[in-house]
Amino acid sequence: MTENTQTPSSPDSELPTTYAPAEVEGKLYERWVERGYFEADEKSEKPPYAIVIPPPNVTGSLHLGHAFEHTLIDALTRRKRMQGYETLWQPGMDHAGIATQNVVERELAKEGKSRHDLGREAFVERVWQWKGESGGQISGQMRRLGDGVDWSRERFTMDEGLSEAVQTIFKKLYDDELIYRAERIINWCPRCLTAISDIEVEYQDDEGELVSIRYGEGDASIVVATTRAETMLGDTAVAVHPEDERYKHLVGTEIELPLTGRRIPVVADEHVDPEFGTGAVKVTPAHDPNDFEIGQRHGLPNLAVMDEHAIITTHGPFQGLDRLEARSAIVAALRAEGRIVAEKRPYTHSVGHCSRCKTTIEPRLSMQWWVKVGPLAKAAGDAVRSGDVKIHPQEMEKRYFDWVDNLHDWCISRQLWWGHRIPVWYGPNGEVVCVGPDEQPPAGEGWTQDTDVLDTWFSSGLWPFSTLGWPRQTDSLAKFYPNAVLVTGYDILFFWVARMMMFGLYAMDGTPPFHTIALHGMVRDERGKKMSKSFGNAVNPLDWMDRYGSDAVRFTLARGANPGVDVPIGEDWVQASSKFANKIWNATRFAMMNGATVEGELPPAEQLSATDRWILSRLNKTVAEVDAFYEDYQFSKLSDALYHFAWDEVFDWYVELSKTTFFAGGEQAKVSARVLGEVLDVTLRLLHPVVPFVTETLWTTLTGGESLVIADWPKDSGFRDEAAETEIGNVQNLVREVRRFRKEQGLDDKQKVPARLDLSGTALAAHEAAIRQVLRLQPEGDAFSASATLPVAGATVALDLSGTIDVEAERKRLTKDLGAAEKEKLQAEAKLGNEAFLAKAPDNVVDKIKGRLSKAEADIARIKDQLAGLPAA
């Protein structure tokens, strides 16, 4: 429990009759920021707890994926702050090289200009201008959501400090021979005119054609199949498997490449699958990554046949054609020569597209800068294998190892103007000089800087330590590195997470950037389908916030968050969460109207009623349960636990069972009012990290405290009262049974019914007034006639339903139900009595049948009691 030393506010009138999120949330958030609640102090002696925000693109706006991830991180940091940690949630944005350059280029196009009209320096200035005027709208949207980030520390991956970090680590890697320049196959976007990373390639099934082409003549011919006929102009070999008997006589010979007048060798390579297709493949080293590797092994020339715009540059008839135009023209020419053996159209296959402009990616041989990832990736794998870094959920470890253990060298150069320019200068006589941040670049005639910029992931890979001041040894770096946990989606486990691991271990002397990697899934629509504008199911979370409030959106997202699993979400669920927020509001307001208070010490157990002891016992169990779920990143389970405790146990049971006490007044009412105040105080604290706005408003009004943001997190006092829990459990069972019976009779819960309660000899006797209040049961009166008698928990409830039910129809219905229950019992007993069945059936099947038997027996007993309780015909 928490020790409360606040003075309660008195008038319940401080709370409006209804909760209006729009009138509360914005003002509250600005108050939190103005008072510096989210600011972290590196000089503090409190234990540190740091999390970095996965930096959203400067071009971006808040989508449901952001809202989901930010809700989880905010819940973690708010709780840790309440637990007494010096908490830093580091905000910032990524400069998003390609995306941002595309945005500004589109603006220039509207003016009839291109970036080349401005020149590099002026274009970069234009991008900075755009960033200042239009970039970063997501920051305001994060405030709407309630993100408790330290805005005083906001960073940008192109700001001065982070630029120094980028240049420092590039120089260090270069000097350690872990960065090099080489000609390799890369993903090339003919629209953006740059290499792009694997994560910027989106694969989708496209309809194309598969053509089988005959190379050579007669016995010296081979058939190959391709979906990219235009690349045959750059073929420099045909490859077959060394053990393929069909082609052994051709290995080492040359065959004619159609349309070109060139002859190319037949090589034997184990990469070729002899079972696939014809068992022979065309080899185009300059336009396919696998072919490039074959070419390297066999010393084949690299013949590029397309320029950066994917325009054919070779072989007269096709020169100047776009690749798709050339594809059709080449197939037609081959068909005219009788070279097409087979055609399959349409042929659906997976094709990579640029995630920014949706252009089909072209594998292209290009001179680029690379990181030699071998030793870096090994360190990243070892850190998880040793337990220094834990991946949650643990089953995601295999995917992590599959990636880092097989990582290829990383292409880090991009042919853009916006980004961190590669700090390498070339001299007039072939000199190459890498310049660190404290060094002057070489000057003089003929010296030029590399024109490429670095992959965005290069700078974002430094995020956990560059944002804290590295390479300078700052107090913030000493206090908050390594981070406690990284919360991010499993979809970027291989890209951003792996790069942060590699760079953190490398730059920080073997210290990983975080202790735990907590992976979550992707947000999907209520049918489990990926959200997309093209699918028409994309949702703007701001629209839902406008309609239902930020708390409702947050609670819906947190309640769906199982570790590593995708999250379905629909508007109905947000609406339900809005009702939960309103329930919290109305119940707290009612409680305060009836004197709920946090003033004074909590009365000792001997002064408490069984109902009071029950709710305090359940409260402490809930505190322990929620703590355990937080430590295991089980956001769905902790949200469910809080929902059911608050709504079911506090509001639907404790408040309802205590109404007679409050209405009666006196000392017991004062005791229960203090208990209710304690329960509300702790419940609002527990709920605050997930639903901060409504809880803040209610808690400050209830307690007079300054803010829940800086209040203490509840502690389990260890108070348990199993006897009280059993006693109130019996009360609940009785109430549920009577409610169920009334529902079966078509009676409304609020309809008053005369009843005789025989509770003598049971602990239920002390709760008769509460039971009557909850069930709307009137005193029996002189004309009482028992229409139905319900035996529950050793007690009897007799109801006068005269004029409300058809007794004969009810007897027929119950008799039919009894017959069905007895049939179910006989079937279950027959199976459990069959030795052959028991010998073969799995344990879970046997347990299920035992459960059916137990339920059938209980149903039979219940129905017989109900039949016995009906008046005689």
Side-chain angles (χ1 to χ4, degrees):
M1 294 296 187
T2 57
E3 181 181 348
N4 196 303
T5 58
Q6 306 291 347
T7 302
S9 58
S10 50
D12 59 272
S13 58
E14 290 184 26
L15 289 175
T17 55
T18 58
Y19 178 52
E23 297 176 11
V24 170
E25 294 176 347
K27 295 175 184 176
L28 265 187
Y29 188 84
E30 289 311 313
R31 185 187 308 161
W32 292 333
V33 173
E34 288 168 6
R35 293 181 178 180
Y37 292 154
F38 304 138
E39 293 180 11
D41 180 8
E42 61 267 19
K43 303 289 188 181
S44 167
E45 294 183 0
K46 296 178 182 178
Y49 186 83
I51 296 181
V52 294
I53 190 172
N57 287 351
V58 67
T59 58
S61 59
L62 191 75
H63 56 63
L64 269 178
H66 291 130
F68 173 54
E69 186 167 79
H70 292 198
T71 294
L72 305 187
I73 300 175
D74 197 37
L76 290 173
T77 52
R78 283 179 182 270
R79 172 174 174 263
K80 284 297 182 180
R81 189 180 293 110
M82 294 173 75
Q83 286 183 312
Y85 286 80
E86 192 59 40
T87 303
L88 168 63
W89 183 10
Q90 174 69 55
M93 287 182 291
D94 193 287
H95 65 278
I98 295 176
T100 307
Q101 180 158 318
N102 281 349
V103 167
V104 178
E105 285 197 84
R106 282 196 294 269
E107 286 197 349
L108 286 174
K110 293 175 184 176
E111 303 169 14
K113 299 178 181 177
S114 73
R115 60 185 165 114
H116 300 285
D117 294 323
L118 272 66
R120 184 167 194 147
E121 187 175 337
F123 176 77
V124 170
E125 287 179 6
R126 178 72 177 258
V127 180
W128 278 108
Q129 179 185 341
W130 174 88
K131 191 257 182 186
E133 295 172 355
S134 306
Q137 63 172 320
I138 196 171
S139 296
Q141 295 164 347
M142 288 164 59
R143 293 170 182 262
R144 282 283 311 276
L145 189 64
D147 286 4
V149 300
D150 185 348
W151 291 110
S152 69
R153 294 173 177 262
E154 187 174 10
R155 303 303 298 269
F156 181 55
T157 51
M158 285 280 286
D159 68 27
E160 185 176 346
L162 269 66
S163 294
E164 180 185 1
V166 168
Q167 197 170 351
T168 299
I169 202 162
F170 187 99
K171 171 71 171 173
K172 179 175 171 58
L173 288 163
Y174 182 87
D175 289 347
D176 287 345
E177 297 184 348
L178 292 173
I179 280 184
Y180 64 94
R181 193 168 184 241
E183 194 174 42
R184 299 274 183 84
I185 293 284
I186 46 86
N187 301 309
W188 180 264
C189 175
R191 157 61 183 81
C192 298
L193 298 180
T194 181
I196 65 173
S197 65
D198 291 337
I199 196 169
E200 291 164 320
V201 179
E202 292 180 348
Y203 287 91
Q204 66 184 49
D205 286 341
D206 286 358
E207 282 192 359
E209 61 179 346
L210 179 69
V211 293
S212 297
I213 309 168
R214 178 171 51 82
Y215 288 13
E217 300 293 343
D219 292 339
S221 67
I222 294 181
V223 174
V224 298
T226 181
T227 57
R228 303 169 66 222
E230 69 278 10
T231 62
M232 68 161 292
L233 301 177
D235 285 359
T236 56
V238 170
V240 297
H241 193 273
E243 302 302 321
D244 195 330
E245 294 294 336
R246 293 171 295 177
Y247 304 116
K248 277 194 172 182
H249 68 290
L250 292 176
V251 174
T253 68
E254 290 186 344
I255 60 175
E256 182 184 349
L257 177 64
L259 305 182
T260 66
R262 289 192 290 114
R263 295 184 67 80
I264 57 175
V266 177
V267 299
D269 194 280
E270 291 188 351
H271 168 77
V272 180
D273 180 0
E275 302 299 324
F276 183 77
T278 63
V281 297
K282 58 192 288 297
V283 182
T284 320
H287 293 279
D288 184 275
N290 292 321
D291 292 3
F292 178 79
E293 297 296 332
I294 294 175
Q296 292 290 294
R297 288 193 288 272
H298 297 276
L300 300 175
N302 301 316
L303 180 58
V305 297
M306 280 181 256
D307 66 12
E308 66 270 24
H309 298 280
I311 302 297
I312 301 298
T313 59
T314 187
H315 199 71
F318 312 108
Q319 191 170 358
L321 295 180
D322 170 83
R323 56 184 165 167
L324 298 181
E325 296 172 332
R327 183 176 302 170
S328 299
I330 288 170
V331 170
L334 290 168
R335 190 182 298 114
E337 289 191 5
R339 294 285 179 176
I340 301 296
V341 176
E343 295 181 69
K344 186 175 182 181
R345 187 185 302 112
Y347 179 75
T348 302
H349 59 129
S350 182
V351 178
H353 295 259
C354 174
S355 63
R356 303 301 176 191
C357 68
K358 310 308 177 187
T359 302
T360 301
I361 290 301
E362 188 64 43
R364 185 167 189 257
L365 186 64
S366 178
M367 182 67 75
Q368 303 285 345
W369 285 94
W370 304 80
V371 171
K372 188 184 296 182
V373 298
L376 304 175
K378 182 180 184 304
D382 290 346
V384 174
R385 287 189 171 94
S386 68
D388 289 347
V389 177
K390 298 186 183 302
I391 294 180
H392 187 87
Q394 190 174 1
E395 54 264 29
M396 287 286 181
E397 281 187 3
K398 182 179 184 302
R399 296 177 66 177
Y400 177 80
F401 293 137
D402 286 346
W403 179 257
V404 298
D405 292 347
N406 298 285
L407 203 55
H408 297 295
D409 285 0
W410 170 21
C411 176
I412 55 172
S413 47
R414 300 290 179 267
Q415 290 65 55
L416 304 171
W417 287 357
W418 173 245
H420 294 281
R421 195 164 174 181
I422 288 176
V424 171
W425 272 255
Y426 305 107
N429 299 311
E431 302 96 332
V432 179
V433 177
C434 180
V435 177
D438 299 323
E439 301 171 345
Q440 290 298 318
E445 187 176 350
W447 283 94
T448 58
Q449 186 177 358
D450 196 299
T451 57
D452 288 352
V453 299
L454 288 164
D455 178 11
T456 298
W457 296 99
F458 191 94
S459 51
S460 60
L462 314 181
W463 193 247
F465 52 94
S466 63
T467 52
L468 298 173
W470 187 89
R472 304 179 190 280
Q473 298 306 305
T474 64
D475 291 337
S476 291
L477 191 65
K479 179 74 174 180
F480 295 114
Y481 188 92
N483 287 184
V485 59
L486 173 75
V487 179
T488 192
Y490 65 72
D491 54 319
I492 57 173
L493 171 65
F494 314 130
F495 306 103
W496 187 47
V497 179
R499 281 152 174 69
M500 285 191 291
M501 286 285 285
M502 291 190 295
F503 280 166
L505 290 160
Y506 174 73
M508 301 301 293
D509 299 321
T511 303
F514 19 73
H515 298 301
T516 301
I517 301 168
L519 299 170
H520 58 72
M522 298 171 64
V523 179
R524 297 180 177 272
D525 69 14
E526 60 266 36
R527 296 178 182 83
K529 190 175 182 179
K530 181 180 178 181
M531 285 191 175
S532 166
K533 290 181 181 179
S534 60
F535 294 156
N537 64 348
V539 172
N540 183 348
L542 298 172
D543 293 340
W544 281 353
M545 289 183 210
D546 289 340
R547 287 198 286 275
Y548 305 109
S550 297
D551 281 335
V553 174
R554 290 170 61 113
F555 191 73
T556 305
L557 291 165
R559 202 173 179 192
N562 289 298
V565 178
D566 289 346
V567 182
I569 184 172
E571 186 168 357
D572 288 350
W573 305 340
V574 183
Q575 192 172 17
S577 295
S578 174
K579 290 178 180 177
F580 178 52
N582 288 328
K583 180 76 172 182
I584 299 169
W585 182 273
N586 294 332
T588 303
R589 186 172 180 276
F590 170 84
M592 292 179 65
M593 289 172 62
N594 285 277
T597 180
V598 296
E599 190 172 14
E601 294 294 323
L602 196 65
E606 56 268 20
Q607 294 182 21
L608 304 178
S609 68
T611 309
D612 294 335
R613 297 195 306 276
W614 163 73
I615 196 63
L616 290 174
S617 182
R618 289 296 307 129
L619 178 65
N620 277 283
K621 285 184 178 179
T622 300
V623 171
E625 190 177 29
V626 168
D627 275 336
F629 286 144
Y630 262 116
E631 294 305 314
D632 199 32
Y633 304 99
Q634 297 280 358
F635 295 98
S636 177
K637 291 182 179 179
L638 72 89
S639 299
D640 251 3
L642 288 170
Y643 176 89
H644 290 296
F645 175 72
W647 191 308
D648 300 344
E649 298 186 279
V650 179
F651 303 143
D652 278 359
W653 283 109
Y654 180 73
V655 170
E656 290 298 318
L657 291 175
S658 300
K659 279 183 178 178
T660 53
T661 302
F662 291 134
F663 294 160
E667 286 304 312
Q668 190 57 50
K670 292 180 182 178
V671 169
S672 293
R674 178 64 188 90
V675 170
L676 181 53
E678 178 76 9
V679 171
L680 289 174
D681 175 17
V682 174
T683 302
L684 292 171
R685 292 176 197 245
L686 290 173
L687 282 165
H688 176 73
V690 181
V691 284
F693 295 108
V694 66
T695 53
E696 173 86 339
T697 307
L698 293 171
W699 185 85
T700 52
T701 306
L702 171 70
T703 69
E706 181 182 345
S707 173
L708 265 177
V709 180
I710 55 172
D712 291 336
W713 180 254
K715 293 180 180 177
D716 175 11
S717 71
F719 178 82
R720 302 287 191 275
D721 194 323
E722 300 300 334
E725 290 197 38
T726 300
E727 184 173 330
I728 301 304
N730 287 332
V731 172
Q732 291 172 321
N733 288 338
L734 185 148
V735 170
R736 290 189 187 104
E737 186 61 27
V738 175
R739 280 178 173 167
R740 187 194 61 76
F741 179 78
R742 289 174 58 132
K743 184 177 182 181
E744 289 176 349
Q745 310 312 312
L747 298 179
D748 187 270
D749 283 346
K750 295 181 180 179
Q751 184 173 344
K752 294 181 179 179
V753 177
R756 176 186 298 146
L757 273 62
D758 182 3
L759 310 176
S760 57
T762 72
L764 295 172
H767 303 280
E768 180 169 352
I771 291 169
R772 287 186 175 275
Q773 166 69 29
V774 171
L775 287 172
R776 307 291 195 271
L777 300 180
Q778 295 178 315
E780 55 192 273
D782 295 336
F784 181 81
S785 174
S787 303
T789 303
L790 306 175
V792 186
T796 302
V797 178
L799 302 174
D800 184 353
L801 302 177
S802 54
T804 62
I805 66 169
D806 183 334
V807 174
E808 190 56 37
E810 178 63 11
R811 190 183 306 279
K812 287 181 179 178
R813 187 187 66 80
L814 288 173
T815 301
K816 182 179 179 181
D817 289 349
L818 179 61
E822 289 174 336
K823 181 180 180 181
E824 176 73 4
K825 176 174 179 288
L826 289 172
Q827 289 176 341
E829 286 176 336
K831 285 191 175 181
L832 292 174
N834 186 333
E835 294 295 336
F837 170 77
L838 294 177
K840 296 179 181 178
D843 290 344
N844 64 315
V845 173
V846 175
D847 290 342
K848 186 176 180 180
I849 295 172
K850 287 180 179 178
R852 285 169 50 192
L853 175 60
S854 178
K855 182 180 183 302
E857 290 173 340
D859 287 344
I860 290 169
R862 173 179 56 79
I863 296 168
K864 284 183 175 180
D865 286 339
Q866 290 178 1
L867 283 167
L870 290 174

